[in-house]
Amino acid sequence: MSLLRHLADKVADLSVFSKDFLFITLDSLRYDTAALALDAGQTRHFRSLVGDWEARRVAATYTLPSHVSMFAGMMPRPARGDDVTLKKEARLFALSTSWQRYRGRNIRYFFDDAPNVPKGFESRGYHTVGVGGVGWFSTEVSASTLWRDQYFQHYLYKPSYGEENPHAFEEQINDLAATLASLPKGRRFVFINVSSTHRPYSNGDGTPSVNAQRLCLQYVDRHLPRLLELMQPGTVGVACGDHGDCMGEDGLWGHNVVHEKVFEVPYAEFQL
């Protein structure tokens, strides 16, 4: 690599890694749920934040592998898959361990020798904070302690963050606010898994339906400004589903099944 190219890369890195980052996953949220809620005016704060949702496809059918994939750089992909006509297709994250050969591509956050995305931000001097939601983030389950032990410097989880609590998102925000207030000054990478859009749709109408999930998303939208107020102006972020739910299509219900409605999720990048 030439000296000029090396200096240009350093300048680009300084610019990219100068802002806080907010990563929101809306657990089990279907794309059509999110799009219909926007069109109906039920989620005006998300409208202000993301504009329109893009339909994308995730790499897995349930929470644990989907998040492991995203934190390895495999974010939800455009419905068309890879665009073979582009030599530098845009990607949000990449780790050198698996993406070294793609270093010249249009990758916004590239991490050298980081085992996962949160650790990559940590290696760049960020304070990293994770807020679990559904049971796959529980610190009481051995299979889920990896988030606390291998991903985040500061990790928050309580059973009341789970999907059966109709006030879960509010509790997550309250505890996140206290944690952020306790941190020294510096850049922050904040992740939150929002359980409120997961079955049994505790803020819904009592049915396993798109309408019930829309009502749950409307609840999240009401409290979204409080989450965003915790972040610095200029914060960059992404909001997306981690998988969807079947709601009777082809006789299927829920997730962890291979179906289009499970793979299709809303996706949007934003800046505050």
Side-chain angles (χ1 to χ4, degrees), residues 197-261:
T197 45
H198 189 287
R199 293 182 302 169
Y201 313 130
S202 294
N203 291 284
D205 59 7
T207 66
S209 65
V210 168
N211 186 63
Q213 196 177 50
R214 281 171 59 178
L215 292 171
C216 293
L217 186 60
Q218 187 175 29
Y219 157 74
V220 174
D221 186 79
R222 284 200 301 272
H223 297 282
L224 182 65
R226 289 189 55 230
L227 172 63
L228 302 182
E229 287 166 4
L230 299 178
M231 306 303 297
Q232 293 295 315
T235 292
V236 176
V238 60
C240 62
D242 62 335
H243 58 77
D245 269 346
C246 281
M247 297 180 181
E249 293 89 357
D250 299 309
L252 298 172
W253 296 90
H255 47 270
N256 198 24
V257 294
V258 177
H259 193 279
E260 172 68 13
K261 290 302 180 183

Side-chain angles (χ1 to χ4, degrees), residues 141-190:
V141 180
S142 296
S144 304
T145 56
L146 77 165
W147 311 114
R148 179 194 64 200
D149 299 339
Q150 301 175 35
Y151 283 75
F152 297 99
Q153 293 170 298
H154 309 275
Y155 184 70
L156 307 177
Y157 177 81
K158 294 191 302 191
S160 56
Y161 294 170
E163 58 271 23
E164 294 186 1
N165 178 7
H167 303 288
F169 190 44
E170 297 156 79
E171 285 203 34
Q172 289 177 299
I173 295 170
N174 289 340
D175 291 349
L176 175 61
T179 296
L180 292 177
S182 72
L183 295 180
K185 289 184 178 180
R187 293 161 296 158
R188 286 96 182 271
F189 172 88
V190 175

Side-chain angles (χ1 to χ4, degrees), residues 5-203:
R5 172 66 183 278
H6 177 74
L7 290 174
D9 286 348
K10 287 294 184 184
V11 170
D13 277 359
L14 288 173
S15 175
V16 168
F17 289 102
S18 66
K19 301 181 184 302
D20 291 358
F21 197 98
L22 175 61
F23 193 147
I24 305 169
T25 56
L26 298 150
D27 209 285
S28 306
L29 185 61
R30 291 165 53 128
Y31 168 74
D32 55 357
T33 297
L36 287 168
L38 273 187
D39 291 344
Q42 291 175 293
T43 51
R44 61 187 180 89
H45 298 301
F46 273 112
R47 171 69 78 186
S48 296
L49 181 67
V50 307
D52 290 315
W53 294 107
E54 178 186 355
R56 290 203 174 192
R57 304 293 186 274
V58 290
T61 62
Y62 69 102
T63 299
L64 179 63
S66 183
H67 283 81
V68 169
S69 294
M70 288 190 285
F71 285 141
M74 294 299 294
M75 295 295 290
R77 303 287 293 122
R80 67 181 184 279
D82 287 322
D83 188 340
V84 297
T85 67
L86 297 178
K87 293 183 178 179
K88 293 188 176 183
E89 185 172 11
R91 292 179 184 263
L92 186 58
F93 304 125
L95 309 177
S96 62
T97 50
S98 57
W99 295 91
Q100 187 64 40
R101 67 185 184 278
Y102 298 126
R103 195 179 185 97
R105 288 194 178 190
N106 183 17
I107 297 170
R108 191 179 309 173
Y109 296 93
F110 193 98
F111 302 106
D112 289 299
D113 301 321
N116 54 62
V117 168
K119 285 295 182 183
F121 277 96
E122 181 182 340
S123 73
R124 297 301 186 115
Y126 282 67
H127 301 291
T128 63
V129 182
V131 185
V134 302
W136 284 110
F137 290 94
S138 172
T139 53
E140 300 172 354
V141 180
S142 296
S144 304
T145 56
L146 77 165
W147 311 114
R148 179 194 64 200
D149 299 339
Q150 301 175 35
Y151 283 75
F152 297 99
Q153 293 170 298
H154 309 275
Y155 184 70
L156 307 177
Y157 177 81
K158 294 191 302 191
S160 56
Y161 294 170
E163 58 271 23
E164 294 186 1
N165 178 7
H167 303 288
F169 190 44
E170 297 156 79
E171 285 203 34
Q172 289 177 299
I173 295 170
N174 289 340
D175 291 349
L176 175 61
T179 296
L180 292 177
S182 72
L183 295 180
K185 289 184 178 180
R187 293 161 296 158
R188 286 96 182 271
F189 172 88
V190 175
F191 162 77
I192 183 167
N193 170 251
V194 180
S195 70
S196 301
T197 45
H198 189 287
R199 293 182 302 169
Y201 313 130
S202 294
N203 291 284

